[in-house]
């Protein structure tokens, strides 16, 4: 679409697969005002309007309320590229899920049911990524603490912290011959928790437990950890974190 082209509410409705009534409501609550309103009262939307609508639809997929969505995308710190990256990953996961279901159905049609396999119906991977993405934008105390600590850091300092964090996680890769409950492995978990608390937000055992599940939940984070520490690093780190949290009060 030409960035100078204006679209009517009917055209946007057809393009985005969203009802005209919903678009009218979004305008009424200030979530998606049109770029222009004609003298006859017709709403017209431009390229920026559609970009905003795309973000709205992503956050609806993550089950945010309309009020929460408005608060998020109106923030001065809102990162549209991050939102788009999350949308792409979420759609890719759903595409993979649908392709697996199609393959199963085609197989049953061709040769019948040879094995009772229900794993293709499992949406845990999608649900876990959606939870991770939602937490990125959540208004939790930990998120506010993260924002406060990040405010005084330069991009280079942020980059170095990220490198150090990944090196701590990568170290679990060299420990995979040990038990997740081994003292050295548990000490590495403690090191991870302390680092996050000092530089990002207070990492309680409850939060740490959630991070462990996220590390092994699939997607880019799991891949990055495994690329840094070797195959199985993310999964082993998750097991070590689980063992750590089970032995200490949350």
């Amino acid at each position: 679409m030409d960035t100078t082209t204006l679209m009517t509410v009917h055209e946007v409705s057809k393009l985005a697969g969203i009802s005209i009534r919903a678009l009218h409501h979004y305008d009424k609550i200030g979530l998606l005002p049109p770029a222009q309103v004609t003298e006859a009262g017709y709403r017209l939307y431009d390229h920026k309007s559609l970009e905003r609508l795309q973000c709205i639809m992503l956050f609806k997929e993550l089950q945010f309320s309309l009020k929460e969505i408005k608060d998020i995308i109106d923030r001065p710190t809102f990162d549209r590229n991050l939102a788009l990256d999350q949308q792409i990953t979420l759609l890719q996961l759903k595409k993979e899920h649908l392709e697996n279901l199609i393959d199963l159905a085609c197989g049953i049609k061709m040769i019948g049911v040879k094995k009772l396999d229900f794993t293709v119906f499992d949406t845990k991977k999608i649900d876990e990524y959606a939870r991770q993405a939602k937490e990125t934008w959540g208004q939790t105390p930990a998120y506010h603490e993260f924002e406060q600590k990040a405010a005084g850091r330069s991009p280079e300092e942020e980059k170095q912290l990220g490198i150090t964090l990944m090196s701590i996680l990568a170290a679990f890769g060299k420990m995979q011959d040990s038990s997740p409950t081994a003292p050295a492995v548990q000490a590495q978990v403690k090191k991870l928790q302390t680092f996050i608390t000092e530089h990002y937000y207070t990492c309680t055992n409850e939060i740490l437990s959630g991070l462990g599940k996220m590390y092994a939940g699939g997607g880019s984070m799991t891949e990055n950890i495994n690329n840094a520490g070797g195959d199985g690093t993310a999964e082993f780190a998750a097991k070590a974190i689980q063992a750590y949290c089970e032995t200490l009060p949350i």
Side-chain angles (χ1 to χ4, degrees), residues 142-197:
Y143 181 78
H144 286 302
E145 185 179 356
F146 168 78
E147 281 193 321
Q148 290 172 356
K149 289 186 176 181
R153 291 196 289 256
S154 67
E156 181 60 30
E157 288 172 327
E158 284 287 351
K159 180 180 178 180
Q160 289 304 316
L161 283 176
I163 292 173
T164 303
L165 176 60
M166 187 56 68
S167 69
I168 293 173
L169 288 166
F172 285 102
K174 298 179 180 179
M175 301 179 174
Q176 292 188 70
D177 290 337
S178 303
S179 165
T181 60
V185 177
Q186 290 296 287
Q188 188 67 13
V189 176
K190 180 61 178 176
K191 181 178 180 180
L192 171 66
Q193 184 181 40
T194 300
F195 181 84
I196 294 172
T197 296

Side-chain angles (χ1 to χ4, degrees), residues 178-187 189 236 239-244 246-247:
S178 303
S179 165
T181 60
V185 177
Q186 290 296 287
V189 176
F236 181 76
K239 291 177 182 177
I241 290 170
Q242 180 181 0
Y244 178 90
E246 286 176 351
T247 59

Side-chain angles (χ1 to χ4, degrees), residues 60-71:
K60 279 180 63 66
E61 287 284 328
L62 300 178
Q63 299 181 359
F64 279 100
S65 70
L66 295 181
K67 183 182 182 303
E68 289 173 325
I69 294 172
K70 185 176 184 303
D71 290 342

